Amino acid sequence: MRRIAFVAVATLLALDARPLAQPRSRVVMLGTGTPNADPDRYGPSVAVVVDNASYLVDFGVGVVRRAAAAERAGIKALAAPNLTLAFATHLHSDHTLGLADLILTPWILERATPLTLYGPRGLRAMTNHLVDAYADDLRIRTRGGEPKHQHDPRLVHVHEITPGVVYRDERVTVTAFAVKHGAWEQAFGYRFQTPDRTIVISGDTGPDSHLEDQCQRCDVLVHEVYSEAGFSKRPPEWQAYHSRYHTSSRQLGAIAARAKPGLLVLYHQLIWSSTEDELLKEVRSAYDGKVVSAHDLDVY
Ligand SMILES: [Zn+2]
Ligand SMILES: [Zn+2]
């Protein structure tokens, strides 16, 4: 009798702990870097994970290894064979240097289905060039004695998109929206509507892209940023570039004050000679909501 009572209490405790612990949707910061070769920040890549499915936004350098690190930390949706779907914000090299990795490495690691990509004009040509560049590798791996692979890696489904709903399945609706990123003809941010959260990712953007229209009290706004203190010490020609292509800390504070996200996540931080604490202070001078400065492999 006493033993049955113990089991019942243990079961109740387990039931109690389970549903609150984990949201169905999580944002995993695979890479928070920029073109600068910071050894602590890999190239930009954010994974939206819903249950056992993953959706990548951008594929900067190191993307597959960062995904493997997240898998090792318990996020099974980021195991290499699950990396089947990715959305490119724009074709700047820092956001796309991992494309060959994303095409080839999970294929070698027994991904069962071909990779599918969404992104701006030029993504198809970039994909085709990379597949061509690795022609000898592909020939040796498919005919040189490696165990048989599950699909032909030359087959990548590429969708060159325009703003609007670009993808939908039973877990997410993904909407692409145009952002202003200097001279790029096409650059996108993405909004993910999942069963339990709305997640907005800016990609690289100047300050006039109306991110507040996309977020509107969204749960998580992941946004690029540069430090105003660091900027003030940059050479004038670089200042002209940064102010046209990117969003300063105080500009972002003002955007977030209008967008009212549940959580503002800073990534692609250009800090230069300043500090992360200073960067956060600058954002907070214009925004009193919750804000964090992300590092690689943070999960929100
Ligand atoms: Zn960038
Ligand atoms: Zn860029």
Side-chain angles (χ1 to χ4, degrees):
M1 194 65 200
R2 203 177 291 161
R3 185 159 168 246
I4 290 166
F6 172 76
V7 169
V9 168
T11 307
L12 270 179
L13 284 174
L15 280 176
D16 202 30
R18 195 184 41 187
L20 293 175
Q22 193 143 119
R24 287 184 65 182
S25 316
R26 286 172 287 172
V27 180
V28 184
M29 307 303 293
L30 296 178
T32 59
T34 66
N36 301 325
D38 180 341
D40 297 323
R41 294 183 183 275
Y42 283 22
S45 181
V46 179
V48 173
V49 169
V50 186
D51 304 330
N52 295 319
S54 66
Y55 309 84
L56 300 182
V57 175
D58 287 334
F59 19 83
V61 70
V63 57
V64 177
R65 274 154 179 78
R66 281 299 199 227
E71 184 210 0
R72 196 178 280 176
I75 302 176
K76 300 298 170 207
L78 288 167
N82 294 335
L83 305 179
T84 59
L85 199 51
F87 300 82
T89 60
H90 65 300
L91 299 184
H92 251 151
S93 56
D94 51 322
H95 297 251
T96 53
L97 279 168
L99 182 52
D101 191 17
L102 190 58
I103 294 169
L104 295 169
T105 309
W107 167 65
I108 296 164
L109 298 175
E110 302 182 351
R111 180 173 55 201
T113 54
L115 179 64
T116 299
L117 301 173
Y118 294 81
R121 274 188 304 278
L123 182 58
R124 181 172 291 115
M126 180 182 274
T127 303
N128 290 343
H129 287 311
L130 287 169
V131 168
D132 286 349
Y134 283 92
D136 285 347
D137 172 86
L138 294 174
R139 184 172 49 77
I140 297 293
R141 287 189 194 283
T142 47
R143 295 195 219 140
E146 262 187 44
K148 190 168 167 20
H149 296 286
Q150 304 202 48
H151 64 86
D152 183 343
R154 291 170 300 177
L155 181 66
V156 180
H157 299 298
V158 181
H159 302 270
E160 295 186 344
I161 59 172
T162 52
V165 173
V166 294
Y167 178 85
R168 192 179 269 137
D169 66 19
E170 66 278 18
R171 299 183 187 87
V172 297
T173 300
V174 184
T175 305
F177 54 90
V179 296
K180 291 181 184 160
H181 184 38
W184 284 100
E185 274 179 29
Q186 274 193 317
F188 297 112
Y190 289 99
R191 186 172 70 242
F192 286 77
Q193 184 65 57
T194 77
D196 57 345
R197 295 173 106 183
T198 303
I199 296 155
V200 176
I201 299 168
S202 72
D204 282 5
T205 178
D208 301 322
S209 296
H210 302 287
L211 262 286
E212 63 273 21
D213 295 345
Q214 302 302 326
C215 172
Q216 298 276 356
R217 297 183 185 274
C218 63
D219 296 288
V220 183
L221 172 59
V222 179
H223 203 293
E224 69 121 88
V225 69
Y226 67 83
S227 150
E228 289 197 358
F231 176 88
S232 69
K233 299 194 179 111
R234 297 286 287 157
E237 60 273 25
W238 275 108
Q239 286 187 346
Y241 172 81
H242 296 310
S243 60
R244 189 166 161 227
Y245 278 75
H246 297 293
T247 303
S248 83
S249 45
R250 282 192 180 82
Q251 288 167 340
L252 176 54
I255 291 164
R258 296 193 296 270
K260 299 183 171 55
L263 177 66
L264 172 63
V265 177
L266 312 183
Y267 88 137
H268 199 285
Q269 301 99 322
L270 286 161
I271 297 171
W272 302 299
S273 57
S274 188
T275 64
E276 214 168 1
D277 282 348
E278 200 55 45
L279 176 75
L280 278 165
K281 255 189 231 160
E282 291 167 0
V283 174
R284 287 189 181 118
S285 72
Y287 172 61
D288 60 6
K290 267 205 265 182
V291 53
V292 291
S293 182
H295 298 108
D296 287 16
L297 298 173
D298 284 350
V299 180
Y300 301 104

